[in-house]
Amino acid sequence: MERSTIVRVHEGLHARPATRFVKLAKGFESDVELVKDGKAVSAKSSVKLMLLAVKENQEVTVRANGADAIEAIEALIGYLENPKAGLDDEAEPQSPANDAGQEATPVPARQSAPGEANGLRGVAASEGVAIGPAFAHFPPDIAGQGRMLQADEIAGEIDRFRAAVAAVQARMDRALAQDSLSAGDRGIVAALRDIAADDSLTGEAEKAIKGGNDAVSAVITAASTIAADFSAVDDHYLNARADDVHAVGRQVCLVLLGQDDVSLENIPEGAILIADDIGAWDLARAPLKRIGGVICGHGGATSHIAIIARSHGIPAVLGLGDQVNALRTARDVALDGNTGHVIIDPDEPTRAEFAGRVEAATKERAGLTVFKTVTPKRADGKVIEVAANIGSLEEIEAAQEAGAMGVGLFRTELLFMRHMHLPSEDMQAETYAALAKAFAPYPVIVRTLDIGGDKPIAGIEFPDEENPFLGWRGIRMCLDRPDIFKRQLRALLRAAVHGNIKVMLPMVSDIGEVRQTRILVDECAAELKAEGVPHATFDLGVMIETPAAVLIAQALAKEVAFFSIGTNDLTQYIMAADRLNPTVAKLNDVTNPAVMMAIELTAKAGVAAGIMVGMCGEAAGRPDLIPTFIEMGLTELSMSPASIQRAKKTITAMAAGD
């Protein structure tokens, strides 16, 4: 049995998406293959799968043979057709434009620093600047024994090799079990573990051992062969996987030799880590808070080293090649992760310039941290809630660290998109309850499923639409699919027992949509009561993001407990300008008088009705707009965690009359 499809996975089946795909395939008993351009490989081998170099928008065929072939094909095709598949593990920093309608402020062009013209130049892999003592990390190369095995030694050498692979896998499993790994780093270690367990690497090595090579030589040869295959593929994501294969091979060799790798545990505070190559496994376990910057001969912007550095805010310049050897004896190093410049033993003017930039950034961060625990108020004493926009439980910690006063927007679509099947009521209830407990007694506003043709999920068949932004999405789809919607509403009612849950409906354009939802909520509550399942009521509100909602805001305010203005879609619909179309990007400006008037009309209607009016999106975190929004009557502003402390500072300064 087979079925063909067009791959929609963002950037194709590179490391983490391939790992997730293989994990899914291994969950079925059937033999499963993926076919591209007439070449078929096992869907249960991540290395073979990645080497097939499946890219976004290419046609592939899933072929399955076995008792559960139908289920396997359905699940795997659903994954391949999901544009967001694998992205939950990427740990790439999100653009502040997510649901905000406001892009990040452009960084002004900077003149070259003194000494940069004479420095080295690599790949700008993680933004930021740093200057500090050089910490050279050049562990010795590993070489095989260089002797041929006797026939009676081969079986024992294979056993020794398998034991070494098992030891590396166990070490990685222990790392994955630790709470110290961030969600992004966890995904990277999981991908490395998958390579260590892959038949391509182990099979190639065992073949070499059977040919008479010692295990260390066999692993080096096997890793080099597979890495060369990755390097030859015309895809930058897959090229970066060559470093991962070498890193895994090195770990296996070290176990075989009974050696420990050179540790990064003793790196000094603020030091610049310099290496020809750093295995993602080593960097993920390093004391990252002490590392001031990373410079590496290998790697690029899509390598796992870059991903780890970016997710932890560490400036990094990679891909220096042989130039990195010039840093072996450096005492101090300055690097600019924005431009890719590296300066060895910088002179005094350069030191002063870099030190000033680092100090300015540090002072800004330090000055804002005092606002983490501040409860901002208007001059009349009214509390302004500064909350966080998040999309998964993994983001809770960052929001709490920033001082979020609850959650102003929890995007539930990611919960649906990251799974191959629609999430169960129990799974949803557990997720929403964890969110409520984490922020209690602060409110947590959960947006019901906001899915449409622009971001499809497995389990819901969407029609082909000329413009999915104007089509069957948000509350429109949910009301047409009560089997899906009621499952989510029941989960939210159950979670409300554990904290201050509020529920927000997206894409509302008619009062009837709110009333229909209330009927479903009442039905769900009655069902749960009859079943003896603990539950509680919640406030029901709406997102104001359509022109229709703005124009009927007075009537809507009598039906709901709160408004939350979604500046992204509201701007798009008010200006009739597709926010994904760069040719009309200048029209997507929340400060346009038409958009600001829509916000003001909404605020007036809410204030007159005595309900809370909030805003979710980065526009809510803009210091230049916050005073205007508060003057309009908004009392809740929700944004990315990075903007929270600055927003609190702005509100506090307003109240003080600064």
Side-chain angles (χ1 to χ4, degrees):
M1 176 176 290
E2 62 181 46
R3 180 176 157 194
S4 298
T5 189
I6 301 297
V7 177
R8 301 301 184 194
V9 178
H10 181 64
E11 297 289 355
L13 295 182
H14 54 94
R16 280 157 301 287
T19 298
R20 292 287 300 278
F21 187 86
V22 169
K23 183 177 181 180
L24 182 63
K26 287 180 177 178
F28 297 97
E29 295 181 7
S30 298
D31 293 327
V32 188
E33 291 183 324
L34 192 67
V35 185
K36 190 193 86 169
D37 297 334
K39 182 178 180 181
V41 302
S42 170
K44 298 182 179 182
S45 166
S46 60
V47 170
K48 290 177 181 177
L49 195 66
M50 286 189 284
L51 286 173
L52 195 59
V54 176
K55 298 182 180 180
E56 190 175 1
N57 297 322
Q58 289 185 330
E59 182 176 0
V60 297
T61 299
V62 178
R63 184 182 296 159
N65 182 27
D68 54 2
I70 295 176
E71 292 84 354
I73 287 179
E74 179 184 350
L76 294 171
I77 288 291
Y79 186 92
L80 294 171
E81 292 178 347
N82 183 355
K84 298 291 185 181
L87 288 187
D88 54 309
D89 289 331
E90 286 287 348
E92 291 277 12
Q94 294 286 321
S95 164
N98 279 345
D99 267 319
Q102 196 64 43
E103 296 186 0
T105 304
V107 178
R110 186 183 64 81
Q111 298 297 317
S112 295
E116 274 189 7
N118 300 320
L120 308 178
R121 183 72 177 268
V123 176
S126 180
E127 66 181 25
V129 295
I131 183 168
F135 184 85
H137 178 69
F138 291 89
D141 292 335
I142 295 176
Q145 295 174 313
R147 73 177 183 87
M148 297 301 291
L149 300 173
Q150 299 297 316
D152 60 354
E153 296 178 293
I154 291 177
E157 193 73 349
I158 289 177
D159 289 342
R160 202 166 72 88
F161 164 70
R162 290 176 178 173
V165 171
V168 169
Q169 292 173 344
R171 186 184 299 166
M172 292 181 174
D173 284 337
R174 288 194 296 273
L176 290 170
Q178 295 175 2
D179 294 334
S180 57
L181 277 183
S182 70
D185 294 351
R186 192 178 306 281
I188 290 171
V189 173
L192 293 173
R193 191 207 180 282
D194 212 52
I195 291 174
D198 198 278
D199 290 342
S200 297
L201 180 61
T202 57
E204 192 76 25
E206 288 193 15
K207 179 180 176 182
I209 295 172
K210 289 174 182 176
N213 290 283
D214 65 272
V216 174
S217 298
V219 172
I220 293 171
T221 300
S224 297
T225 299
I226 295 171
D229 290 339
F230 277 119
S231 298
V233 177
D234 183 22
D235 183 280
H236 58 285
Y237 275 101
L238 294 177
N239 296 157
R241 302 293 73 79
D243 294 336
D244 295 339
V245 174
H246 280 304
V248 170
R250 180 179 179 84
Q251 294 303 312
V252 175
C253 287
L254 287 168
V255 173
L256 286 166
L257 294 169
Q259 299 176 5
D260 291 324
D261 213 345
V262 178
S263 174
L264 294 173
E265 283 297 322
N266 297 320
I267 187 168
E269 186 76 32
I272 310 300
L273 175 59
I274 301 163
D276 180 42
D277 190 13
I278 306 169
W281 164 247
D282 298 311
L283 190 58
R285 296 178 302 135
L288 294 167
K289 290 184 179 179
R290 294 211 301 266
I291 298 175
V294 175
I295 300 172
C296 198
H298 286 75
T302 58
S303 69
H304 279 153
I305 302 170
I307 292 171
I308 292 172
R310 286 196 295 270
S311 66
H312 291 275
I314 302 172
V317 176
L318 308 179
L320 281 170
D322 291 339
Q323 294 182 97
V324 77
N325 291 315
L327 292 156
R328 284 178 177 265
T329 58
R331 296 186 306 278
D332 299 293
V333 180
L335 74 141
D336 188 334
N338 305 305
T339 64
H341 280 102
V342 174
I343 303 166
I344 304 170
D345 295 324
D347 57 23
E348 286 306 317
T350 304
R351 285 176 181 275
E353 199 269 350
F354 270 82
R357 293 172 65 190
V358 171
E359 183 180 6
T362 302
K363 278 185 176 178
E364 182 182 21
R365 287 194 300 270
L368 291 174
T369 56
V370 299
F371 292 94
K372 174 182 175 179
T373 57
V374 166
T375 299
K377 300 177 182 179
R378 293 188 313 210
D380 64 0
K382 174 66 177 177
V383 171
I384 305 297
E385 295 177 6
V386 180
N389 296 336
I390 63 177
S392 67
L393 298 183
E394 289 84 359
E395 299 173 67
I396 288 176
E397 184 179 357
Q400 291 175 328
E401 282 298 310
M405 301 164 67
V407 174
L409 170 63
F410 182 70
R411 308 178 183 95
T412 60
E413 56 268 22
L414 187 58
L415 176 62
F416 283 73
M417 296 171 76
R418 73 196 305 176
H419 295 287
M420 294 307 102
H421 301 285
L422 293 172
S424 66
E425 178 184 319
D426 287 344
M427 178 185 290
Q428 292 188 63
E430 183 180 337
T431 300
Y432 307 145
L435 192 68
K437 291 175 185 176
F439 288 97
Y442 288 124
V444 169
I445 299 178
V446 179
R447 182 175 68 187
T448 57
L449 186 57
D450 187 15
I451 289 290
D454 60 316
K455 41 184 176 182
I457 58 174
I460 303 178
E461 194 70 32
F462 286 90
D464 290 330
E465 297 177 307
E466 289 293 328
N467 190 337
F469 286 105
L470 299 178
W472 195 57
R473 61 173 297 191
I475 191 63
R476 303 166 183 177
M477 185 279 292
C478 287
L479 289 173
D480 285 346
R481 290 293 304 269
D483 56 318
I484 296 170
F485 196 24
K486 286 185 66 176
R487 185 185 302 173
Q488 183 171 41
L489 293 174
R490 281 172 57 99
L492 287 163
L493 286 164
R494 289 167 58 184
V497 173
H498 301 285
N500 189 0
I501 291 280
K502 297 184 178 183
V503 176
M504 177 166 63
L505 307 179
M507 282 298 291
V508 168
S509 55
D510 184 84
I511 293 175
E513 293 164 336
V514 176
R515 293 173 178 167
Q516 284 180 262
T517 300
R518 283 201 180 281
I519 292 172
L520 290 179
V521 171
D522 291 342
E523 285 181 12
C524 291
E527 291 170 4
L528 291 169
K529 182 178 180 180
E531 296 165 14
V533 178
H535 64 284
T537 58
F538 50 65
D539 284 347
L540 185 67
V542 296
M543 281 190 80
I544 302 294
E545 51 189 339
T546 67
V550 173
L551 295 174
I552 62 170
Q554 287 184 331
L556 276 175
K558 298 174 183 178
E559 299 280 339
V560 299
F562 65 91
F563 287 159
S564 185
I565 301 167
T567 55
N568 194 2
D569 276 339
L570 181 62
T571 303
Q572 173 176 243
Y573 295 137
I574 290 289
M575 301 307 298
D578 183 353
R579 60 187 171 90
L580 300 180
N581 186 342
T583 60
V584 293
K586 65 181 180 180
L587 292 174
N588 273 283
D589 178 7
V590 72
T591 64
N592 185 283
V595 181
M596 294 298 284
M597 184 175 291
I599 294 171
E600 186 172 14
L601 287 171
T602 301
K604 284 183 177 179
V607 170
I611 66 171
M612 185 203 84
V613 181
M615 177 182 289
C616 51
E618 295 312 303
R622 286 180 54 174
D624 59 325
L625 296 180
I626 286 174
T628 301
F629 294 148
I630 291 178
E631 287 171 8
M632 288 178 179
L634 273 69
T635 57
E636 187 256 11
L637 300 169
S638 189
M639 60 205 70
S640 70
S643 301
I644 286 174
Q645 292 172 8
R646 184 173 288 107
K648 285 187 175 185
K649 177 183 178 182
T650 302
I651 298 166
T652 303
M654 284 177 58
D658 292 346

